[in-house]
Amino acid sequence: MAQRYHRDHHHESVDKRCGDSSADYQTNKRHRSSDEGQHRAAETLSAHRQLYERHFPLYKQPVEVGCFSLDSRRNFCNDQRQLRYYVQPTKSPDFNLRDGYTSRFVKRDDSVKEKLDHVLKWILANRDKIQTRDQTPSSSALGVDFVTWRGHLTKVLTTPYETQEGWMLAASKFRGSIYISEVETEAARVNRETRSQRQEEMMYWGYKFEQYICADDVDGTPDPGGVVNTNEAFCTVVQTRLADHKLLFSGEVDCRVKEPDAPPAPGCYVELKTSAEICTPKQRSNFHRYKLLKWWAQSFLPGVPQIVAGFRDHDGIVVAVETFPTSKISQLIKNEFNCWKPTVCMNFCNDFLSFVKSVVKEDDPRLVYLFTWDPHREVTYAVHRDSQYTFLPEWYIKDMSSPHSSHH
């Protein structure tokens, strides 16, 4: 199935077959309510993949409404200073990904949980850039249903096929929009705190690959002798709509193509990846079934059209580089037996967002609805007030609630 974006920007033109069909499914196995007779929210949501093999839902072509940078000390900058330019390598480049690991590496402290803070800073500085077409007067202050990180949505998309890692997503409604922020699971915390030396080094390899093929300026060349600093990031902010859900989310972007006649962002962006070289049919099958699912979901969501992958050997030498157009990934996997399907991912995400909307009714930034999912289980939730899970900061609530914030 090819990548499907709906390019028409008028609300009236929603293709009926693509609309949010949760109403038709309220009695089926996807939702379980403890009180079937009452009109109340379901208490759980099934992640069983067979339930989501329906038509591909409407997903609007994502539009970039802004961007921001995080500098070498992880400070928010309301500009594109960290945007880099893709410099195409040779087919067999021989890059050494281990180079500089012990001497030229500044590692971000991943025990610091930033929540949605950078996205919220972008919102406060760029309220006027958020597109509010199709809005009714009574709708939310921002004119969107959900605000989140792209990475959180990627986890939701891949859920029907995930067998290893669960997730926890905190949701709060504030001035009509639902904000979704990830909470680290206990298993993820243990993993992070017990990573082996090799796992730590292999995480560096991905950033090192970027350094070999990214230039700081449109006319520049890569500088593999420089410092790799994983605090630095360039992020796009996009708006789109999945069925009835208006989304505003941000995601990190590795680089853009140099060509001046390239399509506008996000159509000019390139995602960079590394992966172990593929030597056996089993390895190819695993690459298609597991890795390509995550790669596709991550790039399809913000509308990034191509993924450039460096295939490396056991010692961290890049032996081949291959480009995967995001829209062609689903054709690549369709001969794989019992493989993942983009339509299942998107329908599950649509239903999850509908489930969140049905649950998160009270507009209060101090109230957190914590959604939890573990492999082979259903999505459940619990409600917490004034707890450790509260994530919308006082500075954001105050600024958004002040009189000047109520109009653009």
Side-chain angles (χ1 to χ4, degrees):
M1 185 181 307
Q3 190 166 0
R4 308 210 191 160
Y5 294 116
H6 191 91
R7 286 184 174 76
D8 192 337
H9 285 280
H10 295 288
H11 209 277
E12 297 77 48
S13 68
V14 176
D15 182 339
K16 287 289 180 283
R17 73 173 176 80
C18 291
D20 174 14
S21 38
S22 358
D24 312 336
Y25 283 80
Q26 210 54 44
T27 53
N28 108 352
K29 295 176 187 156
R30 294 177 309 123
H31 294 112
R32 298 240 174 95
S33 174
S34 65
D35 195 350
E36 294 297 347
Q38 305 295 311
H39 284 289
R40 49 166 295 172
E43 308 229 319
T44 64
L45 176 71
S46 171
H48 202 56
R49 61 186 79 153
Q50 278 84 344
L51 297 172
Y52 300 96
E53 302 210 8
R54 316 195 291 270
H55 287 300
F56 200 89
L58 176 136
Y59 190 59
K60 293 272 265 304
Q61 182 82 39
V63 174
E64 180 175 84
V65 289
C67 61
F68 61 87
S69 298
L70 301 175
D71 71 10
S72 60
R73 299 176 70 172
R74 206 69 182 168
N75 296 310
F76 173 89
C77 307
N78 190 28
D79 56 42
Q80 51 174 39
R81 70 182 67 181
Q82 296 292 346
L83 176 59
R84 296 173 301 172
Y85 295 84
Y86 174 60
V87 178
Q88 188 161 354
T90 61
K91 274 295 229 183
S92 313
D94 230 28
F95 298 146
N96 178 7
L97 301 180
R98 302 180 94 154
D99 176 59
Y101 177 62
T102 54
S103 54
R104 303 191 310 279
F105 179 29
V106 177
K107 183 178 181 289
R108 176 168 90 85
D109 181 354
D110 56 9
S111 69
V112 175
K113 298 303 165 199
E114 297 168 328
K115 304 173 183 175
L116 295 184
D117 288 8
H118 298 311
V119 185
L120 303 180
K121 284 175 186 168
W122 180 88
I123 290 171
L124 292 184
N126 300 279
R127 287 284 305 277
D128 54 325
K129 294 199 176 77
I130 299 172
Q131 298 173 0
T132 52
R133 66 181 89 191
D134 303 333
Q135 293 310 309
T136 53
S138 63
S139 72
S140 63
L142 291 179
V144 299
D145 299 319
F146 293 98
V147 175
T148 191
W149 282 108
R150 179 266 315 271
H152 302 357
L153 292 175
T154 302
K155 289 198 172 179
V156 174
L157 252 71
T158 58
T159 296
Y161 298 103
E162 180 58 53
T163 58
Q164 304 295 310
E165 295 170 8
W167 46 252
M168 289 163 70
L169 294 170
S172 289
K173 188 186 255 195
F174 174 54
R175 301 197 74 203
S177 296
I178 297 172
Y179 296 77
I180 296 179
S181 181
E182 187 174 18
V183 172
E184 187 175 43
T185 62
E186 186 59 23
R189 184 188 64 77
V190 169
N191 263 340
R192 173 171 57 77
E193 291 174 352
T194 59
R195 285 196 288 250
S196 69
Q197 193 51 53
R198 177 160 172 94
Q199 284 171 323
E200 288 281 356
E201 184 174 348
M202 285 173 70
M203 288 172 71
Y204 166 81
W205 290 359
Y207 294 102
K208 184 66 186 179
F209 178 62
E210 295 172 20
Q211 192 187 52
Y212 276 110
I213 57 178
C214 290
D216 288 342
D217 306 292
V218 68
D219 306 315
T221 51
D223 175 23
V227 172
V228 169
N229 184 330
T230 58
N231 287 297
E232 298 174 352
F234 170 77
C235 296
T236 180
V237 182
V238 301
Q239 259 183 280
T240 183
R241 185 156 58 84
L242 171 57
D244 289 343
H245 310 301
K246 297 190 200 80
L247 312 177
L248 175 75
F249 59 87
S250 177
E252 192 172 339
V253 169
D254 294 325
C255 57
R256 62 155 292 156
V257 296
K258 289 182 168 197
E259 288 70 35
D261 60 346
C268 58
Y269 291 147
V270 182
E271 176 66 32
L272 304 178
K273 293 289 185 195
T274 58
S275 195
E277 63 179 326
I278 296 166
C279 304
T280 69
K282 179 70 175 158
Q283 286 170 342
R284 180 165 301 279
S285 172
N286 284 342
F287 174 73
H288 284 164
R289 298 170 80 88
Y290 306 112
K291 199 149 267 195
L292 278 185
L293 164 59
K294 293 194 169 151
W295 290 8
W296 169 81
Q298 182 187 23
S299 288
F300 180 76
L301 278 165
V304 172
Q306 57 175 333
I307 301 163
V308 172
F311 289 93
R312 45 124 196 117
D313 66 17
H314 181 79
D315 299 317
I317 306 295
V318 175
V319 294
V321 174
E322 203 176 325
T323 299
F324 296 88
T326 309
S327 62
K328 302 275 170 59
I329 287 177
S330 50
Q331 277 113 283
L332 211 58
I333 56 135
K334 62 174 187 284
N335 295 327
E336 201 68 60
F337 174 70
N338 201 17
C339 206
W340 60 273
K341 295 179 178 148
T343 189
V344 168
C345 299
M346 296 301 283
N347 280 316
F348 176 74
C349 187
N350 178 24
D351 284 16
F352 172 72
L353 295 176
S354 297
F355 179 54
V356 172
K357 271 185 187 171
S358 74
V359 166
V360 181
K361 290 299 190 193
E362 206 175 324
D363 200 300
D364 178 354
R366 293 164 68 178
L367 197 62
V368 168
Y369 298 78
L370 187 62
F371 293 83
T372 302
W373 176 79
D374 281 304
H376 318 295
R377 297 273 186 270
E378 300 195 322
V379 179
T380 59
Y381 71 92
V383 188
H384 303 266
R385 182 180 294 277
D386 292 327
S387 69
Q388 67 197 82
Y389 301 115
T390 307
F391 62 90
L392 287 173
E394 203 51 57
W395 50 260
Y396 182 73
I397 294 163
K398 203 165 162 230
D399 196 306
M400 285 288 283
S401 306
S402 65
H404 75 83
S405 282
S406 58
H407 48 81
H408 294 297

